[in-house]
Amino acid sequence: MHRRGVGAGAIAKKKLAEAKYKERGTVLAEDQIAQLVKDSGLRCLELEISIMSLVYR
């Protein structure tokens, strides 16, 4: 029994799926970067408040 090659529809479906995964990965990476920036900003603010409390004692 001879098996057929992959059809054009399957190739298009695979490319679409890859594009969706790539886009989703980009969105997740952007979210993680935004969260890191937010967290580091809060830590800097906390450090600044701690330093200010030491200076004004």
Side-chain angles (χ1 to χ4, degrees):
M1 182 175 226
H2 184 39
R3 191 171 167 179
R4 291 185 178 188
V6 178
I11 292 171
K13 186 176 178 180
K14 182 178 178 184
K15 285 185 180 182
L16 180 64
E18 288 174 354
K20 285 182 181 180
Y21 280 114
K22 184 176 181 181
E23 182 179 342
R24 183 67 180 144
T26 302
V27 169
L28 289 174
E30 289 171 352
D31 288 348
Q32 287 177 343
I33 290 171
Q35 187 65 39
L36 285 172
V37 168
K38 180 182 170 190
D39 289 347
S40 65
L42 291 175
R43 288 190 185 112
C44 289
L45 180 61
E46 290 170 1
L47 178 62
E48 184 178 342
I49 291 169
S50 296
I51 291 172
M52 297 290 266
S53 68
L54 290 173
V55 170
Y56 291 112
R57 278 189 173 181

